Amino acid sequence: MADVARAAGVSSATVSYVLSGKRPVAEETRRVVEAAIADLGFTVNTMARSLRTGRSNVVALVVPDLSNPFYAQLAASLQKELRPLGLHVMVCDTQAVRDEERAFLREAVQQRFAGVVITPFRLVAKDFEALSAAGIPVVVSADLPFGEADLVTPDARAAMRQALTEVTDAGRRRIGMIAGPRDATGGDPRLELLRGLAVQLGTALPGRLVVRGEHTREAGAAGFERLMRMKYRPDAVFCANDVVAIGAMDKAEELGIGIPGDVALIGHDDASFASLVRPRLTTVRYPAPDVGRAAARLLIERLDGRVARKTVTVKAHFVARGTV
Amino acid sequence: MADVARAAGVSSATVSYVLSGKRPVAEETRRVVEAAIADLGFTVNTMARSLRTGRSNVVALVVPDLSNPFYAQLAASLQKELRPLGLHVMVCDTQAVRDEERAFLREAVQQRFAGVVITPFRLVAKDFEALSAAGIPVVVSADLPFGEADLVTPDARAAMRQALTEVTDAGRRRIGMIAGPRDATGGDPRLELLRGLAVQLGTALPGRLVVRGEHTREAGAAGFERLMRMKYRPDAVFCANDVVAIGAMDKAEELGIGIPGDVALIGHDDASFASLVRPRLTTVRYPAPDVGRAAARLLIERLDGRVARKTVTVKAHFVARGTV
DNA sequence: GTGAAAGCGCTAACAG
DNA sequence: CTGTTAGCGCTTTCAC
């Protein structure tokens, strides 16, 4: 920048101001400076800039599984919203491992990130302390609130109720679930929701028909198998998410169990491949693009100075396809 | 850091050395410093560090479509390889738009990134000049070499030959292709490869049976429809990638065209959903994890000082499933 | 084994 | 409308 200033015969402050537009610069001067910039192929060093201003222009998106298209879509959406503001998104895949999650949070404060959008999987509130101490805004995308952080959360009650109703209307009575791991942050709120609904609707979700595992295809297959080996086996299975449901379908095919003939299957999220499998997966759609948009908005408001905690609810919808 | 130094009664240089281990520090001193660090909840500011050292610790991964699981997997793999070295991966989704691609490259030099791994879609060699001028190592993952950059490239010849052989052995003679857009970087090397193979095997890939479009599901559907509306319509269709092939399957179902009964379909990459659709997609597997690993290795070598351009070839394999 | 101090490239007062 | 200048927080000689 000093080079540019010299070449243009101005001070480096002026160069800085033509770049940032933070104060008026004479048309003539601007032209000369811009010419010099082009000449020398100069590019601002954003590290120096951020060091000086105390704020970087990168936002971290921390997710448990980037190969789940739901999160890939979330990433794309967030990036699209933040880009026009000059904010960059650094996508971090934690593989649902707590130490990885923590490592990324630590990195976020080391890098003085502008903000963090995170779907915590095994983190606890305490893990966020360093972030708030550093004054880095956090938006949590999860079913449950998380300390001081802003929250984007699904309203899936109506959708789940509808799903459950469809299932019972079809005469199914033995409802089971392949839920998330027991040590996940907040347990598994989707399980709790289903439980509550089951009570309301006069159905049961017996504890022994709830199996648990990671949010992976393999775990879905394993969980489904365990369910099917029970003497009192379910005739409808809700899944923690679509990836798990796909795994269940793998196993059903392997075991020669008919879906939905023998067992109804309900996914969650409507990840892109839910409509790809055959039969098509009936699921509860939680629209990733909307989640990304909401998270972006919350983050931007924080950056603009909002201090009060805020929650945005994104409505989920029941999507009837071929597995119920 | 000054605070820590004061609290520990040492100089900030010593604190720095405790953190980096770049010179021996007395056991006693180290303990005191570490206590102070813990006490104050101090975290290094990597921006300041990078400014000082002139190198950041983030690597950009620039891809055309993050919602294509192939790239999501690539991202995961690259991240896994680079993480242990303290390098972070910033994933950038360009949506195959040239201006976005350029914007990310510009950002890479502004941020003085440690390196860039990119699958260029519409970029040309010139777009990389600023990067090399800034001395930022670039690894290109593509079918064709790209200026000075290191290259990870598929060897898909044998696999494609096998695919083509299967198709012709099944008595198919009218080979078509849904290729990438005409203005994509390097045209469509997969198309060229198929053309060459067709000649070798005494089959034809007539120009009119080649349609073009983006690497999207919609474009795949549109391309397949155009093909099917021709009077001389293909009985086997190769696709630019699996996403395109899935789009073609959508359309086939819509039009009541049997796959593989009426038309054989061959994808490319073996993205995760290739085995999800029914019938399962026959494809040419290009293993994303291997690509990520290779890219990481190339990048690391460069960072370690290698100067000569290098190419790593990753072998692709024919995967016979249900669409041929 | 430790400290002092220069300076990375930029921004934002402050002064003119 | 423009210039001067003081750091942002760190690393790294150089000196002890």
Side-chain angles (χ1 to χ4, degrees):
Chain A
M1 191 171 239
D3 295 347
V4 174
R6 207 168 308 117
V10 299
S11 76
S12 71
T14 299
V15 177
S16 173
Y17 286 119
V18 306
L19 249 29
S20 69
K22 289 195 179 174
R23 90 180 179 189
V25 175
E27 188 49 44
E28 168 65 9
T29 316
R30 142 164 291 118
R31 235 199 326 277
V32 176
V33 171
E34 278 167 351
I37 289 176
D39 255 30
L40 302 177
F42 167 82
T43 330
V44 285
N45 182 328
T46 48
M47 286 180 320
R49 169 181 290 172
S50 302
L51 176 58
R52 178 57 230 242
T53 61
R55 274 257 157 281
S56 91
N57 65 337
V58 359
V59 170
L61 171 66
V62 184
V63 299
D65 178 16
L66 195 51
S67 69
N68 179 340
F70 176 84
Y71 294 112
Q73 257 188 286
L74 176 58
S77 160
L78 190 70
Q79 195 182 263
K80 190 164 136 210
E81 298 293 319
L82 259 20
R83 208 74 212 309
L85 301 170
L87 292 172
H88 289 261
V89 177
M90 175 152 157
V91 184
C92 310
D93 185 349
T94 65
Q95 306 283 10
V97 175
R98 179 156 182 227
D99 281 344
E100 293 292 316
E101 294 183 287
R102 287 207 279 212
F104 283 121
L105 293 191
R106 199 176 321 119
E107 191 70 13
V109 355
Q110 290 185 176
Q111 306 253 24
R112 307 296 190 266
F113 280 162
V116 172
V117 177
I118 183 169
T119 297
F121 200 86
R122 289 191 156 89
L123 289 174
V124 300
K126 187 173 165 4
D127 294 319
F128 287 85
E129 281 170 7
L131 279 187
S132 28
I136 297 177
V138 177
V139 178
V140 166
S141 163
D143 293 14
L144 294 172
F146 230 85
E148 297 305 294
D150 288 331
L151 179 69
V152 181
T153 196
D155 172 6
R157 173 165 282 272
M160 285 292 276
R161 161 185 291 254
Q162 190 181 346
L164 193 52
T165 306
E166 301 271 331
V167 161
T168 53
D169 283 359
R172 321 241 181 201
R173 286 291 171 272
R174 302 193 302 281
I175 314 293
M177 178 162 186
I178 307 176
R182 194 177 297 277
D183 66 341
T185 294
D188 189 331
R190 292 174 180 181
L191 169 59
E192 299 316 324
L193 176 55
L194 186 62
R195 253 197 196 119
L197 254 15
V199 171
Q200 271 190 28
L201 297 181
T203 321
L205 179 65
R208 54 190 168 155
L209 288 192
V210 174
V211 298
R212 290 167 170 282
E214 296 299 309
H215 284 185
T216 63
R217 201 164 159 179
E218 295 69 31
F224 191 76
E225 179 161 31
R226 254 178 299 146
L227 247 19
M228 291 305 114
R229 298 231 182 282
M230 295 175 177
K231 58 261 126 212
Y232 180 75
R233 57 144 95 154
D235 56 7
V237 175
F238 284 77
C239 297
N241 72 12
D242 291 343
V243 176
V244 170
I246 298 292
M249 288 179 77
D250 292 342
K251 185 56 76 176
E253 182 170 26
E254 187 187 320
L255 298 178
I257 290 173
I259 307 274
D262 300 317
V263 180
L265 204 63
I266 301 92
H268 208 295
D269 290 347
D270 196 18
S272 63
F273 48 51
S275 55
L276 247 37
V277 287
R278 292 304 141 86
R280 292 183 163 89
L281 182 65
T282 294
T283 191
V284 171
R285 173 168 171 71
Y286 185 44
D290 293 357
V291 176
R293 243 189 314 273
R297 201 143 0 176
L298 284 175
L299 194 61
I300 292 164
E301 288 175 16
R302 279 282 191 189
L303 263 17
D304 285 351
R306 172 169 58 76
V307 290
R309 219 182 136 279
K310 198 166 157 185
T311 293
V312 171
T313 301
V314 174
K315 206 158 184 67
H317 290 280
F318 178 68
V319 180
R321 286 202 273 248
T323 58
V324 171
Chain B
M1 192 171 238
D3 295 346
V4 175
R6 207 169 308 117
V10 299
S11 75
S12 69
T14 299
V15 178
S16 172
Y17 286 119
V18 169
L19 251 27
S20 69
K22 290 196 181 173
R23 90 180 179 190
V25 175
E27 189 48 44
E28 168 65 7
T29 315
R30 140 164 293 119
R31 235 197 327 277
V32 176
V33 170
E34 277 166 353
I37 288 176
D39 255 32
L40 302 177
F42 166 82
T43 332
V44 282
N45 183 327
T46 47
M47 288 182 317
R49 168 181 291 173
S50 302
L51 175 59
R52 180 57 229 247
T53 60
R55 275 257 159 282
S56 91
N57 65 338
V58 0
V59 170
L61 171 65
V62 184
V63 299
D65 178 15
L66 194 52
S67 70
N68 178 340
F70 175 83
Y71 293 113
Q73 256 188 286
L74 177 58
S77 159
L78 190 70
Q79 194 181 265
K80 190 164 135 212
E81 298 293 320
L82 259 21
R83 208 71 214 310
L85 302 171
L87 291 172
H88 288 260
V89 177
M90 174 153 160
V91 185
C92 312
D93 185 351
T94 66
Q95 306 283 9
V97 174
R98 180 158 181 225
D99 281 346
E100 293 293 316
E101 294 184 288
R102 287 207 278 210
F104 282 121
L105 293 192
R106 200 177 319 120
E107 192 70 14
V109 353
Q110 289 184 178
Q111 306 252 25
R112 305 297 190 268
F113 280 162
V116 172
V117 176
I118 182 169
T119 297
F121 200 87
R122 290 190 154 90
L123 289 173
V124 298
K126 187 173 166 5
D127 294 320
F128 287 84
E129 283 170 7
L131 280 187
S132 28
I136 297 177
V138 177
V139 177
V140 166
S141 163
D143 294 12
L144 294 172
F146 230 84
E148 297 305 294
D150 288 331
L151 179 69
V152 180
T153 195
D155 172 6
R157 172 164 283 272
M160 286 291 277
R161 161 185 291 254
Q162 190 182 347
L164 193 52
T165 305
E166 300 272 329
V167 162
T168 53
D169 283 359
R172 320 245 182 198
R173 287 291 171 271
R174 300 192 304 282
I175 315 294
M177 177 164 188
I178 307 177
R182 191 178 300 279
D183 65 342
T185 293
D188 189 331
R190 292 173 180 182
L191 169 59
E192 299 315 324
L193 176 56
L194 185 62
R195 254 199 194 116
L197 254 15
V199 170
Q200 272 188 28
L201 297 181
T203 322
L205 179 65
R208 55 189 169 156
L209 289 192
V210 175
V211 297
R212 290 168 170 281
E214 296 299 310
H215 284 184
T216 64
R217 202 164 159 181
E218 294 71 30
F224 191 76
E225 180 161 30
R226 256 178 297 146
L227 247 19
M228 290 305 114
R229 296 232 182 282
M230 295 175 177
K231 56 262 129 213
Y232 179 75
R233 56 146 95 155
D235 55 9
V237 175
F238 285 77
C239 298
N241 72 12
D242 291 343
V243 177
V244 170
I246 298 292
M249 289 179 78
D250 292 342
K251 185 56 76 174
E253 182 169 25
E254 187 188 322
L255 298 178
I257 290 173
I259 306 270
D262 300 317
V263 180
L265 205 63
I266 300 92
H268 206 296
D269 290 348
D270 197 18
S272 64
F273 48 51
S275 57
L276 246 39
V277 287
R278 293 303 142 86
R280 293 184 163 88
L281 183 64
T282 294
T283 191
V284 170
R285 173 166 170 73
Y286 184 45
D290 294 356
V291 176
R293 239 186 318 271
R297 201 144 358 178
L298 285 175
L299 194 60
I300 292 163
E301 288 175 15
R302 279 282 192 189
L303 262 20
D304 286 351
R306 172 169 57 75
V307 290
R309 220 182 136 277
K310 198 167 157 186
T311 293
V312 171
T313 300
V314 175
K315 205 156 184 70
H317 289 281
F318 179 67
V319 180
R321 287 202 272 248
T323 58
V324 170

